[in-house]
Amino acid sequence: MNTPHVVVVMGVAGTGKTTIGPLLAARLGVPYAEGDDFHPQSNIAKMSAGTPLTDDDRWPWLDAIGDWAQGRAGLGGVVSCSALKRSYRDRLRAAAPGVVFVHLTGDRALVEDRMSHRQGHFMPTALLDSQFATLQPLEPDEAGVAVNVTGSPEKITERAATALASLSGPTA
Ligand SMILES: Nc1ncnc2c1ncn2[C@@H]1O[C@H](COP(=O)(O)OP(=O)(O)OP(=O)(O)O)[C@@H](O)[C@H]1O
Ligand SMILES: [Mg+2]
């Protein structure tokens, strides 16, 4: 049997990371961690004040997620993290070399529609624009799969699990 994957579910805001992550973890029989929970207090204070995070703010957050992922090496796990830039993913891989990415992809109209139905979360249009502008999709040398987010969460989870199964397992 293949070594279980440690998966980072990535993508712009509203693509369903928090929705699909736990479902995928359950499907794979591994624990799930919510990436937003790894922010240091200083980042939480900034975000609460509506101040955008800088990349310098993000490194300790990414390192904490990377530490969790590395702790799951050989055991399997799923963690959500937008990981929009290649440099963020490089940072995660520096801590956890075996991670694989599931990039949840959807067009702008679909994501905006889903965001507009989300309870208790207001996302200004400009913020979604900046998310799409910042996004650097997976490059060919990065371990991972892109999964389209049309359809139900169950369908997307199945699509992700099938795509992951086509990747060879980590060698660690
Ligand atoms: N397949 C789906 N079909 C319908 N609604 C969905 C689907 N996936 C997610 N949603 C809804 O879309 C909204 C955004 O999903 P979710 O919160 O999981 O995204 P996210 O990527 O975690 O966003 P953020 O980056 O802001 O944390 C939520 O209201 C969620 O219930
Ligand atoms: Mg989320």
Side-chain angles (χ1 to χ4, degrees):
M1 198 181 126
N2 275 343
T3 312
H5 286 297
V6 180
V7 180
V8 177
V9 179
M10 63 168 278
V12 300
T15 41
K17 301 179 294 294
T18 301
T19 304
I20 305 303
L23 293 175
L24 182 61
R27 171 77 168 68
L28 300 176
V30 299
Y32 170 72
E34 168 61 50
D36 289 343
D37 294 344
F38 290 85
H39 277 293
Q41 188 53 46
S42 52
N43 285 0
I44 295 168
K46 264 194 156 180
M47 291 187 289
S48 310
T51 310
L53 298 182
T54 65
D55 281 356
D56 279 341
D57 295 325
R58 288 192 177 93
W59 305 132
W61 170 59
L62 292 164
D63 289 343
I65 293 174
D67 284 349
W68 185 88
Q70 184 54 20
R72 298 304 306 166
L75 302 167
V78 176
V79 60
S80 59
C81 175
S82 47
L84 297 182
K85 292 187 189 176
R86 168 85 197 221
S87 60
Y88 303 164
R89 299 191 294 272
D90 286 342
R91 189 81 174 206
L92 292 169
R93 276 186 293 258
V99 290
V100 299
F101 291 85
V102 168
H103 180 192
L104 298 180
T105 62
D107 66 32
R108 159 88 212 226
L110 177 68
V111 173
E112 188 163 4
D113 181 62
R114 290 202 178 146
M115 294 296 278
S116 71
H117 291 101
R118 179 154 70 170
Q119 300 295 312
H121 250 92
F122 177 67
M123 164 80 46
T125 302
L127 224 153
L128 206 49
D129 284 335
S130 87
Q131 291 266 304
F132 276 99
T134 305
L135 175 66
Q136 296 171 343
L138 290 171
E139 296 183 53
D141 65 320
E142 300 188 76
V145 292
V147 173
N148 193 276
V149 296
T150 50
S152 68
E154 291 70 26
K155 271 254 178 267
I156 297 160
T157 302
E158 201 48 44
R159 213 174 279 150
T162 302
L164 281 171
S166 73
L167 290 176
S168 53
T171 47

